[in-house]
Amino acid sequence: MNMPRDHVSAELLDRYAAGDRGRPDVWWAVEAHLEACPACRDRLAAAVVRVSPATAALLDRVRDGLVAEVARGPRPRRRRSIARLAASVWRWAAPAVLPRLAMTVLMVVVAVGLDLADERTGGRYPSLVLLLAPVAPLLAVAAVWSRGLDPAYEIVASSARAGLDLVLRRAVAVLALVIPALGAAGALVGISPARWLLPCLAFTVAALALGEVVGLHRATTGLIAAWAAIVVGPSLATGRPPVALTVASLPVWAVVTAVVTVALVVRRRAYTALSSTR
Ligand SMILES: [Zn+2]
């Protein structure tokens, strides 16, 4: 057979199949060529059968053994829908988010404990769970797109899926875990989700929109500080629940959420351009 010059010669293939290891530089070149050339791999397979029947028999035995082993092994189980849902939330979550989610849940647990203790001593303070709920997701949201907190930030930021779409997916993963935790805490201390769910969404969207301008980390820190100074502090000082978290304020929160969502979408390209911000 007439081979082009850049294929491995029949003589070299026969010697390689026979186990000749005399010239490492040549075999290195042969192996590099075999990796890239299916035609020469087919010729090598034929050469092994012809030149080294023992090797061919060994390969057959290994293949038969593997086929039998795979057939005997357990079939891969289909995951149930809850496990699938958990897996997709896990896949969407940013790695740096997990410690912050744990911190958030711990804070909610402490708030429940303080609320229950306050209730026992006569209920002098407004519910901490209620005061905490609107900004509770922000601690973890800060980490969904942050150079300072995500060790894989550069890799993710340069990927094709980087941008608002990815930021939103990760924020939704945070909400999917924080909102049920707040719901359970609210059920324990008798606070309806109707009072905090919309403010909670408004703050999350506002953080993402503000994050397009100053970076998510600064945006969440600023919003948490403002909420603590303007609402939480005075509310604890006066012992009265804040007006902002009454059912009557819900239309205002709805308008804020709508306006901020529009702003977020209008500036959606900012997240890929914001690579230098922490
Ligand atoms: Zn070849």
Side-chain angles (χ1 to χ4, degrees), residues 3 6-8 33-34 37-41 43:
M3 278 289 146
D6 53 351
H7 281 295
V8 183
H33 178 86
L34 285 170
C37 179
C40 286
R41 285 203 297 273
R43 291 169 57 223

Side-chain angles (χ1 to χ4, degrees), residues 124-126 231-242:
R124 285 190 302 142
Y125 295 102
V231 176
V232 180
S235 180
L236 289 177
T238 58
R240 279 205 298 265

